[in-house]
Structure formats: C-alpha cells, structure tokens
Amino acid sequence: MSRLSRRNFLKLTGSSAAVGTLSLSPLARAQQDQGPNATGSTTLPYPREVVARLGDVAVNQPVHFNYPDSRSPCVLIRKGREVKGGVGPDRDVVAYSTQCTHMGCPVNYDQEAETFKCPCHYSVFDPDNAGQMVIGHATESLPRIILEYDEAEDALLAVSVDGLIYGRQANII
C-alpha cells in the first residue's frame, strides 16, 4: 500500500479545484445572461423604498428607518456638506445600518462628534467616510444603505446595502 504524501495530496486537490472552477465559468456566464430575477439566481433584488423626503430632513438630525426589512434598523443623516457616497443635490445625505459590525449592538449617532458610537465595546464609525471604523473592536465598516434621490418627488429611496448586516448570511432574508 503506497502512501500519498501531503505534497502530492495538495497538488491533486489544487488541480481539482482549478478544474472545477474553470468548468463552472460557462454556467456562471449563462446565469448572468438571464438577468437578476432568473430562476436559480443567487442575487435577490433589494426593495426600493422611500425612507424620507429631503425637505423634511434637518442637517445633523438622524432619521430612523428599517431596511431592507423590519428587523434591520438604520439611520439617515443629512451632513450639510458633500460626503463620500452622499446623495441629493448637495451630495450630503448618507444612511447606515445601526447594528455594530463587532457584535451587533445598536450604534448611536453622536450629533456633537458627528460619528456613530457603539456603547457595548466603544467602536466608533465615521459617516463622512463611508461608515469606516475609526477605533474599537469592530473590524469592518458599518453597512452603508445605498440611497437614490428622486428630484421630482423630493424623495430619498433606499435601494440596496453595501456590506453585510450583522448576524446574517445574506441581507435579503
């Protein structure tokens, strides 16, 4: 009985993985060609929801809403100055999940410091820089709620999420 060395095992399994990946490429391309709502698609569509009217949103005053479902608390902030990823005529409106990426504690918007702070383990997130983690135990930015602005209706719409909401395998359940 011959023994398979670790080196040869890794060569064999590495080659098998490469062949398997290459053989799936045509299947992946076929699914992409079918569109986002195709049967068997792995990407579910996010709902498009009006979360606020821009005229009703005061500068530096948090507006709370849930997205993409009722178990996903979020907050919208109008910064009063252009910020990274901002929408609206002044590109000053952003929104984030309020569940800390460290352990899911609810983060609070500190109006004086203009940051999100987690009271559980003291992580701090910067809404001016795409929700980036500034300090603390968290290792990821806050999930950013992608917004669109409908000028005709003066409406701010949530259309998707950039990042994974804490405690989920997928944002759409």
Side-chain angles (χ1 to χ4, degrees):
M1 177 170 156
S2 71
R3 293 190 55 174
L4 183 62
S5 71
R6 186 180 342 187
R7 179 182 303 234
N8 287 335
F9 174 77
L10 291 174
K11 284 182 183 178
L12 288 171
T13 58
S15 299
S16 299
V19 169
T21 302
L22 291 174
S23 65
L24 289 177
S25 295
L27 177 61
R29 277 196 301 274
Q31 285 181 339
Q32 286 176 348
D33 293 341
Q34 293 176 1
N37 295 323
T39 301
S41 174
T42 59
T43 304
L44 297 173
Y46 281 97
R48 294 176 55 84
E49 294 182 14
V50 174
V51 294
R53 301 277 177 223
L54 184 60
D56 297 337
V57 180
V59 172
N60 206 32
Q61 296 293 318
V63 175
H64 297 273
F65 64 98
N66 293 322
Y67 186 84
D69 55 48
S70 63
R71 296 180 317 271
S72 304
C74 302
V75 70
L76 176 140
I77 305 290
R78 186 174 192 177
K79 299 297 291 184
R81 63 184 175 279
E82 185 173 336
V83 292
K84 184 177 185 176
V87 300
D90 299 326
R91 299 191 171 290
D92 65 341
V93 181
V94 291
Y96 296 94
S97 168
T98 58
Q99 291 180 275
C100 183
T101 55
H102 175 234
M103 293 186 71
C105 292
V107 298
N108 301 305
Y109 182 69
D110 181 335
Q111 292 172 282
E112 188 176 317
E114 295 188 26
T115 59
F116 288 99
K117 294 182 177 179
C118 179
C120 296
H121 302 104
Y122 310 109
S123 292
V124 176
F125 302 90
D126 182 4
D128 288 0
N129 197 22
Q132 181 178 21
M133 193 277 301
V134 176
I135 192 168
H137 293 300
T139 59
E140 296 182 36
S141 301
L142 281 178
R144 185 168 60 104
I145 309 304
I146 305 300
L147 301 172
E148 289 181 2
Y149 176 62
D150 180 344
E151 187 175 0
E153 298 290 323
D154 191 40
L156 294 161
L157 295 94
V159 296
S160 68
V161 180
D162 180 20
L164 186 61
I165 297 169
Y166 181 83
R168 296 185 175 203
Q169 294 178 340
N171 290 332
I172 302 287
I173 298 177

